[in-house]
């Protein structure tokens, strides 16, 4: 019998390019048929054949309290019953904006949008409007959504397909993006020395999660802050993934680095389309209708999405929330590393907060080049073997993984046992 996943994928490919609405979902990197999911509850998801998986993708990050948390579902239902959208301000928007500014003191003002792509795209425009400069700096392997100027040597799906720069981006636009090496403070210093007075912004994932998980070096973070300040460039910390994942105050809170602007998404929408950008008041006041930098959105601040975000942000503020997640992620990486070592497999892993990285390499990578030299074929084999065992990892060697508050010690133990079984017959 053909699986329902296969049937659905065959049909989808006829009318949806590649059968998917976002490229990494197509399993091109790992091969095989993507799973079509029909249900999620807590730490688990069920595919079209009713097979259950322990989920470490978490919808690519948002489901930090687990799937279908009763309080989130209730908040969404209550909001929906009052109106799906008005295209006018609501009190709930003020509430979530206030909450974001309270949790993240670097936000003096904030604006809501519907996706991380919108947040980063607008943050760049705002930085250009504020500085009157055009050039931006990004780092190879970092992904900041799919706007033209940011799809230059990008991570995530772009990286998965070995096409980190997109066709359809005019060379004239790509030329305004200077791409440097992540964690290379000297390279950044050199770029600022050469054309510091042309740089509108440096945009970075302060913890990189779109080329697998790469942690920032202290000197790299400090160099970014100091050079941006010295040369009048805007430092944009893209926390769409790391925000409310690394800890309550994101990566910038964890490392104590002060941004000029930050971008948020994923967790702050609780699974629905809500995202935000914000930061220094003097920069944010350049936005329309106050200032001359235009940005708008029919669905921005949508009441149902905001309700999901508010309910989720309420849960993550509970005492001990991140301590427990940090411990669960560590249990997972330590368990997997021990299993691999037992069977003599070159493997390493690390975590920060609720994010983790798994690498088929002896040492944990600290740069884009090191990530690229990990054994991708080994990952693909591992991915499919784990899938067979009922463990759903991100379908690419270049994505970070996530645990949620719903993952129990037993889930982690089952995951480690599955890996142990696989590694035993490796
Ligand atoms: C996911 C992500 C984005 C893009 O967000 P979308 O909601 O997919 O548009 C931007 N930056 C980072 C760091 C991300 O992880």
């Amino acid at each position: 019998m053909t699986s329902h996943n296969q049937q659905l994928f065959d049909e989808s490919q006829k009318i949806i390019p590649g059968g998917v609405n976002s490229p990494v979902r197509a399993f091109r990197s790992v091969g095989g048929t993507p799973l079509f999911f029909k249900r999620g509850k807590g730490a688990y998801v069920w595919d079209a054949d009713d097979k259950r998986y322990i989920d470490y993708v978490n919808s690519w990050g948002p489901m930090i309290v687990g799937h279908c948390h009763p309080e989130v579902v209730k908040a969404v239902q209550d909001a929906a019953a009052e109106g799906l959208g008005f295209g006018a301000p609501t009190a709930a928007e003020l509430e979530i904006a206030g909450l974001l500014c309270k949790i993240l003191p670097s936000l003096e003002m904030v604006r809501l949008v519907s996706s991380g792509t919108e947040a980063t795209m607008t943050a760049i425009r705002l930085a250009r409007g504020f500085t009157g400069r055009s050039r931006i700096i990004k780092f190879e392997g970092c992904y900041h959504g799919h706007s033209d100027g940011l799809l230059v040597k990008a991570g995530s799906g772009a990286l998965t397909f070995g096409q980190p720069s997109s066709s359809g981006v005019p060379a004239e636009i790509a030329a305004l993006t200077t791409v440097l090496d992540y964690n290379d403070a000297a390279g950044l210093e050199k770029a600022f020395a050469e054309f510091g007075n042309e740089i509108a912004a440096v945009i970075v994932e302060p913890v990189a999660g779109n080329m697998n998980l790469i942690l920032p070096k202290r000197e790299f973070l400090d160099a970014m802050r100091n050079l941006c300040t010295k040369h009048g460039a805007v430092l944009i910390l893209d926390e769409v993934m790391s925000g409310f994942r690394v800890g309550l105050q994101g990566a910038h809170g964890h490392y104590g680095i002060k941004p000029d602007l930050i971008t948020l998404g994923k967790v702050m929408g609780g699974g629905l389309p809500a995202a935000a950008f914000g930061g220094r008041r003097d920069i944010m006041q350049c936005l329309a209708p106050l200032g001359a930098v235009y940005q708008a959105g029919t669905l921005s601040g949508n009441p149902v999405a905001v309700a999901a975000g508010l309910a989720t942000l309420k849960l993550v503020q509970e005492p001990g929330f991140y301590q427990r997640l940090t411990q669960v992620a560590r249990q997972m990486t330590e368990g997997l590393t021990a299993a691999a070592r037992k069977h003599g497999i070159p493997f390493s892993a690390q975590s920060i907060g609720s994010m983790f990285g798994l690498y088929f390499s002896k040492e944990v990578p600290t740069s884009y080049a090191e990530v690229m030299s990990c054994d991708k074929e080994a990952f693909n084999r591992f991915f499919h073997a784990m899938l067979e065992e009922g463990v759903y990892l991100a379908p690419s060697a270049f994505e970070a993984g996530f645990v949620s508050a719903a993952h129990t010690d037993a889930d982690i133990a089952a995951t480690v046992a599955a890996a142990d079984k696989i590694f035993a017959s490796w």
Side-chain angles (χ1 to χ4, degrees), residues 136-160:
I136 60 168
I137 288 182
K138 78 176 283 290
F139 300 93
E140 188 163 20
C142 283
Y143 178 68
H144 305 292
H146 60 90
S147 69
D148 282 350
L150 292 170
L151 269 190
V152 183
K153 301 202 173 181
S156 190
L159 189 53
T160 298

Side-chain angles (χ1 to χ4, degrees), residues 336-408:
L336 293 180
T337 307
R341 188 163 305 147
K342 190 167 105 191
H343 301 291
I345 292 155
F347 176 92
S348 56
Q350 67 179 344
S351 64
I352 179 166
S354 60
M355 292 170 71
F356 64 82
L358 311 178
Y359 321 91
F360 281 86
S361 68
K362 262 201 178 115
E363 306 285 338
V364 166
T366 62
S367 69
Y368 173 80
E370 283 172 21
V371 167
M372 288 300 120
S373 67
C374 292
D375 187 345
K376 187 167 161 280
E377 291 315 312
F379 173 81
N380 292 351
R381 251 171 80 202
F382 182 67
F383 169 82
H384 280 291
M386 288 294 268
L387 209 55
E388 192 62 37
E389 296 291 327
V391 178
Y392 184 58
L393 298 168
S396 163
F398 306 122
E399 302 284 352
F402 305 102
V403 293
S404 77
H407 285 84
T408 61

Side-chain angles (χ1 to χ4, degrees), residues 92-112:
E93 288 163 73
L94 171 62
E95 191 183 346
I96 198 168
L99 185 58
L100 291 170
C101 293
K102 189 186 105 195
I103 297 174
L104 305 169
S106 59
L107 291 182
E108 292 169 3
M109 297 186 101
V110 63
R111 176 159 286 175
L112 301 180

Side-chain angles (χ1 to χ4, degrees), residues 115-118 120 143-146 205 210 238 240-241 266:
S115 70
T117 293
E118 277 181 86
T120 53
Y143 178 68
H144 305 292
H146 60 90
E205 289 180 66
N210 284 290
D238 181 358
V240 170
M241 183 186 286
K266 298 196 167 107

